[in-house]
Amino acid sequence: MDYIIHILIMICIYSILGVSFNLILGYTGLIAMCHAAFFGIGAYTAALLGIHFGVNFLIGIVAGMVVTGIIGLLVALPAIRVRDEYLIVTTLALLMIIYTVMMNWIDVTRGAAGLTGIPRPRLFGLEISTPTQFLPLMAIFGLLCFLISRRIVTSPFGRALKALREDEVAAQALGKNITSFKIRVFVSGGALAAVAGGLFAHYMAYISPFYFTLTESIFIFAVVIIGGAANLWGPVVGAILLVSITEALRFMAISPLIVGFTRQIAYGLILVLFMCFRSQGLLGEFGRKRREGEEVSDEGEGEELARRQLQLSQAEQLFGTPSEETVDANSSLLELKGVSRSFGGIQAVQGCTLSLKEGRITGLIGPNGAGKTTLFNVITGLYPSQEGAIRFENREITRFSAHLIPSIGIGRSFQELRLFHRMTVLDNVLVACPHQTGERIWGAFFRFGKVREEERANRDRAMAYLRFVGLEEKAEELAEDLSFAEQKLLSLARLLATEAKLMLLDEPTSGLDPVFMESLYPMIKELVRYGKTVCIVEHNMDVIRAVVDEVIFLNQGQVLARGTPEEIMNAPQLAEIYFGA
Amino acid sequence: MDLFVQLLLNGIWAGSIYALLGVSWALIFAASRTFHFAHGATFIIAAYLTYVLDSVLGVGLIVASAGGILAAILFGLAIEGILYRWLRKAYATPLVIFIASLGALIFVENNTAMFFGTDAKVLSGFPIKVIKVGNVGFTTLHLAMFFTAVILIWGLMLFLMKTGQGKAIRAVISNPEMAEVIGIDIERVFLLVYGIASVLVGSAAILVTLERGATPELAHWAILYAFIPVIIGGVGSMGGAALAGLIIGFAESIGIWKIASQWQLGIAFVVLLFVLIIRPSGLFGFSVYRGKI
């Protein structure tokens, strides 16, 4: 009987480890190899405090969380800023360093011999010593960690995490500071692992460095991946399955020496087989909600969408009544002076000087490679300008980082859309809403009421944006299941949700059929009536003629001409450049 | 002065091994963009097969080494040609391939541990002699490490620069889509890359086994010291990985002069963090690779 309870306790511990690692790996897509080290730091901190100072185990656990959090932060700061693979290597190194410290800092950790005599926890004057007494404690902590993680992933914070997992560039263009999000989730995941460590140390009463090796980290990987990454219950299922299997092997193997190896061989094999045949794990991210294999037919859907009539009447609800006073056509919203950007030897934008007038639709045209998209990237801070100055509403923004640009009122769409594919249509729009209290961990946990209120309001607005572009019925579908034209509309709705004053549209109509394309014109024009300023990169001259007030002709990263669509199109020398005579 | 020269030389011997490990993994990562954790498995397969042939079957060190390297090549080809290729055909994400690679690593590592135990297995038959020049000393094995690294890495560079096959590999490294468009058989290039990298890592494995014996845990050690030079040198640069291997060798050798040797790994870690802070793209890296793992 005690043996079964022991298994249940181990399931609780591994559930905590899995649930916390799921935040890092499943929801954020960060590959960290050091979860066993976090587990170990938590265990050693709690054990040492218990042995030497006899502190209450709850304080030991909290101390473990703090120490783990600090170490995690120190490693995350340099490693997370850069590419993903750096984190793998840095965390692998961290894991092995922590192991080295446990093995060699003999005075404190007693090296390979490990720490013995870790005191039993006391709660309300009662000593908890038998497995039966431990089980409720473990279950409570397991539940607590599960609830914390559930709150994190269902809050706006968790939604932003998924967005940056799906597409960092797009998340940045919606104003998310991706480095900060990653660091926060890495540190909080690590701190939760330390809880498991503290519990483990007190339960086992003995710990040694061998519990916290790379093999252990890979086991935690297996718990998350086999259960189902980015599914709340995934790691719990994974823990139940893997702990049971490894414990069952105990009865089958002959010598106790071999048990450890066989169980690792077994889960190594399970990992490989799962990756080959069911890589989403047992549960998968979307459970049964997801309809598999349904083909989206693009046939004649342009007409269909156009018929669905864009809900222009929504506009007033969204943007307020159109301002009657005409905007001073000479005041420019965005000004670029001598802006340059080169990549290696290629000068993509050189000495570009232009201005976008408020309340106008400006078209940016030019031959391929003229630097149109690069100009957008420079304005939005993705590739900071190397020379010159950019001013927005008379404010110098040249050095602003990419995630600050949306907050001052500049939004953009991407030619390749960059939707968050494995998120619902509604979530794609919701994540774009500015100033969300629930995107801070503190806000998500301690300002419940405010977050709930904001969520309700944002949801209403998001649905209104979806209605505006005609996607209301698809709100609960995954973005990747939409047709191409619908995805284009979604990217527009997402951009609108940022409430940007200046909207930079990168080829909003490319790849669409003509009927549907024409149905977009009134929508874009409508936006200007409500105080938006629009700049469109476009190849299609019909679009330019139908929508645009003014055209800027770009060639080799410089402004060659500007004027009304007619003026530009009737200039023979420009046509020559454009069509490469 | 003698001390300095001695430390410098110690750095070169260790750095040679790190360079071999680093370059072998750099080649795989740059070409296939696969985070090949199972490289550590290739390492111990070469080490243990050489041990079996040499010390158990007694075929002599040279034949045994050839056998060990051959086994490494076969394993490398099998992982790429069967496992990774299968996964890529099933449109697996890089994360899925990465996890499969982790699984393969612990599978091989623990099988090895079960069959051979965890004690160090030593190779005999290498004439280790101490050579003294003034007050500076080193062994014939150290020279073997250095020359193996120089010859193999030099050979690889020549191969990449001069031959058609090498140029195909370089094309795949700089732009796989374009390489495919101009008619390069990417799958063949991947196999070639895994084969070559296995020769490098297999040679490093045999040299390390000669120096300190083989243990299953060396798999972890080997991947770590394969990864770190790549990050320090910069992703995509073979020369950078080789040089970074030497730099780590020097840093550790000079560090150990003052710090106890069990903290060696800490020195490599500090160098890694330092480079990440001051030059995130690595010392010689070019930023072609921007994908998500």
Side-chain angles (χ1 to χ4, degrees), chain B residues 146-147 167 193:
Chain B
F146 177 69
F147 286 112
K167 284 176 183 154
V193 161

Side-chain angles (χ1 to χ4, degrees), chain A residues 31 81-82 84 86 264 267, chain B residues 106 110 276 280 289 292-293:
Chain A
I31 307 176
R81 291 184 303 142
V82 271
D84 290 335
Y86 287 39
Q264 282 155 26
Y267 78 73
Chain B
I106 48 174
N110 286 287
L276 281 185
Y289 182 76
K292 206 170 162 61
I293 289 290

Side-chain angles (χ1 to χ4, degrees), chain A residues 106-180:
Chain A
I106 310 242
D107 295 343
V108 175
T109 64
R110 291 194 222 136
L115 290 173
T116 48
I118 301 165
R120 294 299 187 183
R122 291 190 145 273
L123 207 58
F124 311 121
L126 286 171
E127 196 189 68
I128 302 169
S129 53
T130 67
T132 325
Q133 291 166 323
F134 262 105
L135 187 59
L137 184 75
M138 297 291 184
I140 289 169
F141 270 99
L143 186 67
L144 210 61
C145 290
F146 180 83
L147 290 176
I148 289 174
S149 118
R150 196 181 74 161
R151 180 63 194 161
I152 289 178
V153 302
T154 54
S155 70
F157 179 77
R159 191 164 55 217
L161 291 182
K162 275 183 252 176
L164 69 93
R165 174 193 73 187
E166 291 297 302
D167 195 317
E168 288 188 6
V169 174
Q172 223 169 8
L174 298 178
K176 312 298 172 211
N177 183 349
I178 49 175
T179 309
S180 148

Side-chain angles (χ1 to χ4, degrees), chain A residues 151 437 442-452:
Chain A
R151 180 63 194 161
T437 312
W442 177 262
F445 279 99
F446 300 100
R447 306 188 65 182
F448 254 80
K450 181 142 196 257
V451 171
R452 189 177 306 154

